[in-house]
DNA sequence: AGATAATACTGTGCATCACACTATATGTCA
DNA sequence: TGACATATAGTGTGATGCACAGTATTATCT
């Protein structure tokens, strides 16, 4: 049962990860920092999940990146492109609607 | 951009589908009916997505089914098992927490 | 110097969805 | 009657994305 639950939880989290990530990228942020930030915020993401995600989003034109090599360690900062902002806005709107729909569906179900 | 957005929306929906489905299965319901119900409720699911999902959940012991052949057309009714109820409860709790976390993360981001 | 942390990339396997197709029974309309 | 749509359920394939594990580099702590 634990396994089944954790599998479903995994699935549950999936789509939301993108939203959580985008929500933090109005200002440039580097990956490793984002991992810690999100973990503290209740949306834990593994590094090995985040890096490919960031690259994918960059490839899609949602994010843009630039290397910052002046510090002690080279860091790659990601931020929303203009199109990315639009995508985020639309995604956010849809997500809020989805959440509301599901809350309505769940209303009155208090098992346990 | 449309394509990218719809891809992300797809992802966004994924995990939530299970939750929406489980929320309606405290009483036995058949698949086709569920599709229409969920669509009306703002969580559209394709038949070809729902049927395998139901079967998967049954295979995992979350749901149980029984055929109803007395009507005009044979229908397969699904409902939560006892364990399924526990899974649903736990999933629901986690989902609510996740939603809250993401809402906090998104707070103050009003682009568009 | 050695271990650990910070930082980023890549490759493989698995799970899941969308899409398309099959299949049957019951209506509906020409 | 025949053609078509709808209700109802199943299966199979392709694409996609995550988790997991591994690699690589540089700094910091011991």
């Amino acid at each position: 049962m634990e396994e089944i639950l954790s599998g479903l939880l995994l699935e549950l989290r999936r789509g939301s990860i993108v939203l959580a990530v985008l929500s933090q990228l109005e200002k440039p942020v580097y990956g490793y920092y984002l991992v810690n930030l999100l973990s503290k915020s209740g949306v834990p993401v593994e590094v090995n999940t985040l890096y490919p995600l960031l690259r994918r989003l960059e490839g899609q034109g949602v994010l843009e990146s630039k290397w910052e090599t002046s510090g002690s360690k080279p860091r790659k900062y990601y931020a929303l492109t203009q199109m990315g902002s639009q995508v985020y806005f639309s995604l956010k709107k849809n997500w809020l609607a989805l959440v509301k729909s599901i809350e309505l569906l769940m209303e009155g179900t208090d098992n346990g």
Side-chain angles (χ1 to χ4, degrees), chain A residues 6-99:
Chain A
S6 69
L8 293 175
L9 282 172
L10 216 65
E11 255 189 271
L12 200 64
R13 235 182 275 283
R14 286 210 177 186
S16 312
I17 291 177
V18 176
L19 198 58
V21 166
L22 295 184
S23 77
Q24 301 311 112
L25 292 183
E26 296 187 311
K27 289 180 178 180
V29 162
Y30 65 96
Y32 198 84
Y33 173 79
L34 201 51
V35 170
N36 291 110
L37 177 62
L38 293 179
S39 284
K40 256 187 302 184
S41 306
V43 189
V45 185
E46 308 219 354
V47 255
N48 306 324
T49 298
L50 185 63
Y51 287 131
L53 175 61
L54 290 172
R55 294 170 74 76
R56 170 167 67 100
L57 291 173
E58 187 182 15
Q60 292 174 332
V62 175
L63 300 179
E64 59 192 352
S65 71
K66 75 168 185 284
W67 281 97
E68 181 61 51
T69 50
S70 61
S72 65
K73 290 172 196 173
R75 293 168 171 169
K76 199 172 183 180
Y77 281 78
Y78 288 89
L80 288 170
T81 61
Q82 194 166 11
M83 172 188 134
S85 283
Q86 292 174 33
V87 167
Y88 170 51
F89 177 69
S90 183
L91 214 56
K92 180 179 174 179
K93 225 177 69 180
N94 278 272
W95 185 79
L96 289 172
L98 180 65
V99 165

